[in-house]
Amino acid sequence: MDTENLRSFLEVATHGSFTVAASRLNLAQSTVSARIRGLEEQLGRRLFVRDRDGVTLTPAGRQFLPHASSITRTWEQSRQDIAVPDGYETLLRLTAPAYLWDRITSPWVEWMRTRRPNVALRLEGSFPDSAIDQLAEGLLDICILYLPRPHPGIVYETLAVDQVVLVQHAAQTRPWTENYILMDWGLEFRIEHDRAYAGMVKPAISAGLVFIGLQHVLSQQAAAYLPLSAVSGHIERGEMRRIDDAPVFQRPIYLAYPSNPVSSDVLDVALTGLRTLARDWAEGQGFSEGDRALSMAGQV
């Protein structure tokens, strides 16, 4: 389906006039009319009715309107996502959890600017399911995430291991079990958590994104198991405190990238930087070489 036809349709629907739509698109009215006819032929439905007051949408046209708008927005976003800025040879797109910015993402940007200054970078937040789909569709190059989803053509490797610790809002004086949000960090975590807290009543609230758990703890003066990388600043500022003697879990952070990248040289440099920075971070957390080797052996 031609997106230019969709733009013409949206302009006519918005202004109720072929003449106004043609003027706004800088086209001849006959061209706009031809585009609408072509769209109607593709859909097999009439989209507009002409009357004394101008042009109005048919029932089919009203049903098609949100779809046309969505398709056009998606197309424009895709064009922006893959566009290479002037003066650069290529574009590399990475998505990662926001709270890893100070520890991995920001140093990685400096790494890339030093070693590949001709490569433009696009950085985004991480939503695992959509990120994996974007990787598969070629709209992303690298993804850092906690919960991998096997997909043909995508390689996963363990980038680092984060400590998942039990924290409670500093203003909360009641036992942490009375206001606890259960974070779902995958099957292995659930098994270890249930073993550590056998007999614990399942909390009424659960979540699978760090951002949600973090905001819930802060806004509701609650408790949760969260990655140390996400809560260390809050602990240092006195907003949260760790629960003494609570078990600490190890949670892998995965690196995902396409098995057949468009630019393997650029991707290799980017991946080398992420691995190097993750290794430095792991050493800073005090992981032993044995723990590091064991964690890096895990492949999905």
Side-chain angles (χ1 to χ4, degrees):
M1 186 173 292
D2 192 334
T3 55
E4 295 303 322
N5 291 357
L6 295 178
R7 289 192 182 91
S8 295
F9 167 78
L10 291 172
E11 287 291 343
V12 175
T14 299
H15 301 286
S17 168
F18 279 78
T19 302
V20 174
S23 176
R24 289 179 59 83
L25 294 169
N26 197 27
L27 296 171
Q29 184 175 332
S30 59
T31 301
V32 173
S33 297
R35 288 180 174 180
I36 298 302
R37 284 196 302 271
L39 192 56
E40 289 176 330
E41 290 174 1
Q42 285 182 295
L43 295 171
R45 303 292 295 275
R46 193 175 180 184
L47 300 174
F48 292 104
V49 174
R50 296 176 183 267
D51 54 34
R52 290 180 302 175
D53 296 326
V55 181
T56 58
L57 288 165
T58 65
R62 288 194 295 272
Q63 288 182 323
F64 182 63
L65 183 61
H67 298 290
S69 180
S70 176
I71 293 170
T72 303
R73 286 197 306 270
T74 300
W75 172 252
E76 290 299 333
Q77 183 62 51
S78 298
R79 289 181 60 189
Q80 294 177 20
D81 288 347
I82 67 174
V84 179
D86 293 339
Y88 295 90
E89 293 183 3
T90 188
L91 173 68
L92 189 71
R93 299 149 300 186
L94 175 140
T95 181
Y99 51 84
L100 292 180
W101 174 261
D102 290 338
R103 294 165 177 80
I104 293 182
T105 312
S106 181
W108 175 79
V109 170
E110 183 178 353
W111 169 285
M112 290 299 298
R113 301 305 302 136
T114 300
R115 290 162 177 79
R116 288 294 186 274
N118 61 334
V119 175
L121 304 175
R122 182 179 177 87
L123 311 173
E124 298 185 6
S126 179
F127 294 90
D129 287 341
S130 60
I132 296 306
D133 290 336
Q134 288 179 312
L135 271 178
E137 294 167 5
L139 298 176
L140 271 179
D141 300 293
I142 303 173
C143 178
I144 299 174
L145 71 170
Y146 281 103
L147 298 175
R149 174 164 58 87
H151 195 292
I154 295 179
V155 178
Y156 292 97
E157 65 178 72
T158 305
L159 178 65
V161 178
D162 205 354
Q163 297 182 51
V164 181
V165 299
L166 181 59
V167 294
Q168 184 181 35
H169 193 281
Q172 180 57 264
T173 57
R174 294 179 300 169
W176 63 267
T177 52
E178 293 185 14
N179 190 9
Y180 177 62
I181 178 172
L182 178 62
M183 302 303 298
D184 185 0
W185 302 137
L187 179 60
E188 291 185 4
F189 172 81
R190 291 197 297 271
I191 293 173
E192 293 178 358
H193 183 279
D194 290 347
R195 184 182 297 122
Y197 299 102
M200 179 182 183
V201 176
K202 186 174 181 179
I205 303 174
S206 62
L209 292 176
V210 173
F211 174 78
I212 295 176
L214 187 61
Q215 293 304 311
H216 184 80
V217 171
L218 292 172
S219 64
Q220 303 300 317
Q221 298 188 2
Y225 263 102
L226 292 167
L228 183 58
S229 58
V231 299
S232 57
H234 296 282
I235 294 173
E236 292 170 2
R237 292 189 294 271
E239 299 167 347
M240 297 181 185
R241 61 172 175 270
R242 289 181 61 170
I243 302 299
D244 295 334
D245 302 323
V248 175
F249 302 108
Q250 308 299 328
R251 187 178 181 217
I253 302 174
Y254 293 96
L255 188 62
Y257 50 91
S259 56
N260 294 306
V262 174
S263 177
S264 58
D265 174 65
V266 172
L267 185 65
D268 286 344
V269 173
L271 294 177
T272 297
L274 289 170
R275 292 168 184 143
T276 301
L277 295 166
R279 182 177 62 248
D280 294 343
W281 175 39
E283 292 173 353
Q285 289 191 105
F287 286 117
S288 68
E289 287 300 319
D291 291 337
R292 175 70 179 170
L294 180 61
S295 70
M296 291 301 290
Q299 301 290 323
V300 177

